[in-house]
Amino acid sequence: MRKQMKKSAFLLLATTLAITPLLSVPQGAYAVSSLSINAKSTKAGEKTTYTIKFESDKKTNEIEVDFDSDFDLDKVDTDSVEVNGKKPKDVTVKKGKITIELSKNIGKGDDVKIVIEDVINPDKADDYKISVDDGDSDDDEKIEITKGSSSKSGSEKNAFSVSLGSSYSDEKTSIELSKFTLEDKLDDSKYIEVIFPESSMVPSRLSTDDVEINGHTPKEVSVSGRTVKIKPSSKDNDEKKLEISFKKGAGFKTPSSSSSYKIEVEYKNTTYTSKEFDVKKGSSSVNSDYSVSLSDSSVGARTTVSMEVRLKEDLRYGNDIYIEFPSQDMLPGYMSATSATINGTQVSSANVSGRTISLRTPSNFSSTDKIRIDFKMEAFIKNPTTSGSYELAVKHNDVTYRSKSFTVSGTSVTPTNPTYPTNPTYPTNPTNPTPTPVPVNNSTATVKLSKPNPNAISGMTVGIKALGVGLNTNDFIEVAMPTSFRVPTMIPTNAVTVNGAYPSYVGTRGQNLVIYPSLAIPAGQAVSVTINENAKLQTPAASNVYNIGVYTSEERNPLFIRQVMVGAQNGVSFKVGTASYKSQGKTFPLAAAPQTVNGNTMVPATFIRDGLKVSTSYTKTGATVKSGNTTMVFKVGSKVVSINGKNYTMTDAVQLKNNIPMLPIRTITDNLRFNLSWDEASSSVVIFK
């Protein structure tokens, strides 16, 4: 990364950077001394990195680096500029001059190092001047630009191609750089630098699991501005071929504007430039007009669901595809892989999250863009409880395919007993006449964890308000747990109680707990199931909101599905229309109540500052929110938000309420990496890290 600074002297870098001939200018009573300037490449017309070092002779908080007019600074990414390894408070580039405002003053005698990326050298070989000014006087050095170029042009036969998982602007994507030949062999002690056209494409951090080099997990990965630095695995030592893959889940995004772009790879002072790749404008959501078939279209009925969709890109083995249903109540809390097929092939995994089911194709799946998805009766999908027309959506590689409307009609459903998978270790369910259910209301039923912090051995309490169908000792209650919870294969009966009595048997079916009561429970009676910490249930490592479903063997549909929060107990919460927020059990006032505008929740700027503890300044005309390397600027009356200097259009404009700007909470939490969830019990929005 490159940063600029004021009048300065620079120490010659003892690094692998190319040695740059410098013509020193005698220094007088300047405010810096020992100025040195080093360029990674001194070739004419080359895009390169400049490192400037000096010793300060005065206290200052602003530095200017002035390049000869023949240098091109248009490509300099201000977010990549560094001073002594840190991002300065502000960087501006104008007419060949880079002005750096420091977050912290430098003092007399301090050593200063500025790194500036993506400076394009003059087109002609000659000596050129670069000066450093601290506002009192300036010092300069001349750098010799030589002929030729070390860059491997994108027009050459060995230029690599860039493949994107999504080709639409501003979408999450995977990125693959096709195999190409290096000038030097790979060495696991040397960095490969991948330079993206925009810093907004690159996540703030990466792990080695997010990247593959020649099919291997790299030794080290780090992010600096728009550059990803990678040390290859020792398995690739002495290899001259290079192929790089960035996984979709890593957080990479396509550029925000539709255009043609290139990616550069730097290794051992040689730059390799890709062929151009295109990013398309507009939404990736399409109307596919495929039909949704139900085996039973009655209100609230348990049903099979089938659909045939034509995709823009092939669905391959090991791929995930997502089916988004109209409401969460249609889905169970848990789904077995045996419950769904794609093109007649059983999926390798099926996961439920909210109102979305994700299916993963197995290793024997044949790649195709035409797919048929079938959910069997065992999936326990039920129709909405209100008659009407509904749609669902299929998502693949960031493209959403919306269905035709399907109709659910009627006012009641004749229940039937579900067929549950059998397990030889469980007691055998007897064949009984179909019971007649009684009307029950479990809208206030609860699921609570005793220890909601991540990776905790936690107990659980399930409060069923009433059973629609009674249970005898050969029937069971089933608690469907999310896959990220750890459920032991064996749970002792004395770790569980049902209405205060130990059950006759407790078993597990995948992630689900199956509990046989020791006493009969009549229809209409409330049931309290307590699972103590001796059961050894373990919460997920990730703070989030998770769905838990509660069933019985005698009822066709789930009794209820509830959300539990893990890691959010120290979160900050607020209610729309209430001028206060809660934090750590205490209530604090707000100058204006959060409000909803066209489905978007807006909060006063003071909530961001006081509730989320994020640096926030505001006036009647706008607000600025800063956290880490992210700066967001909002203007009252405008739908445009500036994030790190780039403009994005929001759904609604920022408004003023009680002389305080009302800001879109989702825009802020998404960009600052907060978790945002809904607490149904208190009708509150909960925000936590």
Side-chain angles (χ1 to χ4, degrees):
M1 317 256 297
R2 309 300 182 261
K3 304 267 181 182
Q4 297 102 331
M5 316 239 352
K6 305 183 178 183
K7 316 175 187 176
S8 348
F10 299 70
L11 303 174
L12 187 62
L13 286 178
T15 67
T16 58
L17 299 181
I19 297 175
T20 305
L22 302 177
L23 301 179
S24 298
V25 177
Q27 300 183 34
Y30 298 118
V32 300
S33 58
S34 305
L35 174 62
S36 70
I37 301 175
N38 184 276
K40 199 169 212 181
S41 171
T42 59
K43 303 294 184 181
E46 188 80 9
K47 183 163 65 174
T48 189
T49 296
Y50 276 80
T51 302
I52 303 170
K53 284 190 172 184
F54 62 92
E55 180 182 323
S56 176
D57 285 345
K58 66 170 287 186
K59 182 178 180 180
T60 185
N61 68 349
E62 185 175 284
I63 298 169
E64 291 181 354
V65 181
D66 197 351
F67 286 79
D68 192 291
S69 60
D70 290 302
F71 285 89
D72 184 352
L73 304 183
D74 288 346
K75 301 296 183 182
V76 171
D77 183 357
T78 57
D79 287 337
S80 71
V81 176
E82 288 184 351
V83 179
N84 290 345
K86 296 182 179 180
K87 181 178 173 61
K89 183 177 181 180
D90 188 49
V91 179
T92 58
V93 180
K94 188 175 182 181
K95 294 182 179 180
K97 183 180 294 186
I98 300 177
T99 303
I100 304 169
E101 183 181 353
L102 305 177
S103 301
K104 183 179 179 181
N105 287 352
I106 56 172
K108 182 177 180 180
D110 288 349
D111 290 328
V112 180
K113 174 185 172 182
I114 305 172
V115 182
I116 306 169
E117 293 182 353
D118 300 333
V119 175
I120 299 177
N121 288 333
D123 293 332
K124 296 181 180 179
D126 204 343
D127 292 341
Y128 296 89
K129 186 176 74 170
I130 299 174
S131 66
V132 179
D133 184 1
D134 69 353
D136 180 29
S137 57
D138 62 13
D139 196 7
D140 59 57
E141 291 282 352
K142 286 187 177 179
I143 185 164
E144 181 183 357
I145 301 300
T146 58
K147 294 181 179 179
S149 174
S150 62
S151 176
K152 293 294 178 185
S153 167
S155 63
E156 294 186 8
K157 291 182 180 180
N158 69 344
F160 59 89
S161 300
V162 177
S163 298
L164 303 177
S166 172
S167 57
Y168 290 88
S169 60
D170 205 26
E171 290 193 339
K172 290 183 179 180
T173 185
S174 59
I175 301 174
E176 294 184 3
L177 311 185
S178 68
K179 187 175 291 186
F180 62 98
T181 304
L182 300 168
E183 293 292 306
D184 298 279
K185 294 179 179 179
L186 288 173
D187 182 341
D188 65 353
S189 67
K190 305 296 183 185
Y191 280 108
I192 302 163
E193 295 189 6
V194 184
I195 304 166
F196 291 83
E198 295 181 359
S199 59
S200 61
M201 293 182 66
V202 185
S204 58
R205 60 177 63 88
L206 289 170
S207 73
T208 54
D209 291 335
D210 295 324
V211 185
E212 284 188 356
I213 299 291
N214 294 341
H216 300 134
T217 300
K219 181 178 178 181
E220 184 181 323
V221 177
S222 61
V223 177
S224 179
R226 62 193 185 97
T227 300
V228 177
K229 299 175 69 176
I230 310 166
K231 281 187 178 178
S233 165
S234 58
K235 296 177 182 179
D236 292 316
N237 278 343
D238 298 325
E239 175 64 65
K240 292 191 73 172
K241 297 289 186 181
L242 179 60
E243 185 177 19
I244 305 175
S245 297
F246 299 97
K247 299 177 183 178
K248 178 183 175 182
F252 285 90
K253 294 180 69 176
T254 52
S256 54
S257 301
S258 59
S259 186
S260 296
Y261 297 88
K262 292 182 179 181
I263 291 175
E264 293 181 345
V265 174
E266 290 188 5
Y267 182 67
K268 289 189 175 180
N269 295 326
T270 301
T271 301
Y272 305 85
T273 304
S274 77
K275 298 176 183 177
E276 285 190 342
F277 61 94
D278 295 325
V279 174
K280 302 175 185 177
K281 182 179 180 181
S283 171
S284 62
S285 180
V286 296
N287 286 304
S288 291
D289 289 334
Y290 57 90
S291 298
V292 176
S293 299
L294 308 176
S295 61
D296 189 337
S297 58
S298 303
V299 168
R302 179 174 153 219
T303 183
T304 63
V305 182
S306 301
M307 66 210 76
E308 292 186 5
V309 188
R310 191 65 176 260
L311 306 176
K312 288 188 173 182
E313 299 179 30
D314 280 359
L315 181 67
R316 306 176 185 277
Y317 73 86
N319 282 183
D320 289 326
I321 192 162
Y322 302 86
I323 302 88
E324 187 176 272
F325 286 78
S327 67
Q328 179 178 318
D329 288 342
M330 293 182 67
L331 306 182
Y334 166 79
M335 183 175 292
S336 168
T338 61
S339 303
T341 62
I342 301 179
N343 291 352
T345 302
Q346 181 183 307
V347 298
S348 62
S349 66
N351 293 298
V352 180
S353 177
R355 61 192 182 101
T356 300
I357 298 174
S358 62
L359 304 176
R360 178 163 294 179
T361 53
S363 58
N364 62 340
F365 186 80
S366 299
S367 299
T368 179
D369 64 348
K370 187 176 182 180
I371 62 168
R372 178 183 174 89
I373 301 172
D374 291 288
F375 292 99
K376 304 176 183 178
M377 287 295 284
E378 299 94 286
F380 289 96
I381 295 172
K382 70 168 187 174
N383 289 331
T385 55
T386 304
S387 62
S389 296
Y390 297 89
E391 297 176 356
L392 56 72
V394 172
K395 296 183 179 180
H396 175 245
N397 279 357
D398 292 319
V399 181
T400 299
Y401 304 85
R402 294 190 296 272
S403 76
K404 293 180 181 178
S405 296
F406 60 93
T407 302
V408 173
S409 59
T411 57
S412 63
V413 180
T414 302
T416 58
N417 281 334
T419 302
Y420 283 79
T422 60
N423 187 314
T425 62
Y426 299 158
T428 303
N429 291 335
T431 302
N432 294 322
T434 301
T436 301
V438 300
V440 297
N441 183 357
N442 275 303
S443 62
T444 58
T446 58
V447 177
K448 295 181 180 179
L449 300 175
S450 64
K451 292 183 178 177
N453 45 307
N455 276 331
I457 300 299
S458 176
M460 179 185 295
T461 302
V462 178
I464 304 171
K465 291 301 179 181
L467 295 178
V469 178
L471 303 179
N472 60 37
T473 55
N474 289 318
D475 303 324
F476 58 82
I477 298 167
E478 187 162 9
V479 182
M481 307 287 291
T483 55
S484 45
F485 277 73
R486 192 183 74 81
V487 179
T489 55
M490 296 183 63
I491 295 177
T493 55
N494 62 6
V496 180
T497 62
V498 180
N499 286 349
Y502 294 138
S504 62
Y505 180 80
V506 178
T508 60
R509 175 163 47 204
Q511 285 291 115
N512 294 10
L513 300 180
V514 180
I515 304 166
Y516 289 80
S518 58
L519 301 172
I521 307 173
Q525 181 173 319
V527 183
S528 175
V529 179
T530 302
I531 305 163
N532 65 41
E533 293 176 13
N534 292 336
K536 304 297 183 183
L537 298 178
Q538 186 171 358
T539 60
S543 296
N544 211 329
V545 176
Y546 297 90
N547 294 316
I548 294 179
V550 180
Y551 304 78
T552 75
S553 57
E554 300 307 295
E555 296 190 57
R556 189 174 52 83
N557 298 314
L559 292 179
F560 55 88
I561 298 171
R562 291 290 176 268
Q563 293 183 332
V564 295
M565 293 186 189
V566 174
Q569 65 274 20
N570 293 322
V572 180
S573 64
F574 67 85
K575 292 183 180 182
V576 173
T578 301
S580 64
Y581 68 91
K582 289 185 177 181
S583 178
Q584 298 182 343
K586 297 181 180 180
T587 301
F588 300 89
L590 286 172
Q595 60 188 32
T596 300
V597 180
N598 296 327
N600 298 299
T601 302
M602 314 290 279
V603 299
T606 51
F607 173 76
I608 308 301
R609 182 192 64 192
D610 303 330
L612 301 187
K613 307 299 182 185
V614 173
S615 175
T616 305
S617 58
Y618 67 91
T619 65
K620 292 181 180 180
T621 60
T624 299
V625 177
K626 293 184 178 181
S627 179
N629 294 330
T630 302
T631 299
M632 308 176 71
V633 180
F634 300 87
K635 292 183 179 180
V636 172
S638 173
K639 293 183 179 181
V640 176
V641 57
S642 171
I643 303 176
N644 291 339
K646 297 185 182 298
N647 291 333
Y648 300 88
T649 301
M650 302 179 293
T651 306
D652 290 284
V654 173
Q655 300 177 6
L656 197 66
K657 187 175 182 181
N658 295 343
N659 292 324
I660 296 175
M662 301 293 287
L663 308 179
I665 188 62
R666 176 64 83 174
T667 300
I668 293 169
T669 55
D670 285 355
N671 283 279
L672 301 187
R673 298 181 182 275
F674 282 89
N675 294 297
L676 187 148
S677 64
W678 173 255
D679 181 13
E680 187 173 359
S682 63
S683 299
S684 299
V685 177
V686 183
I687 303 171
F688 58 97
K689 278 288 190 180

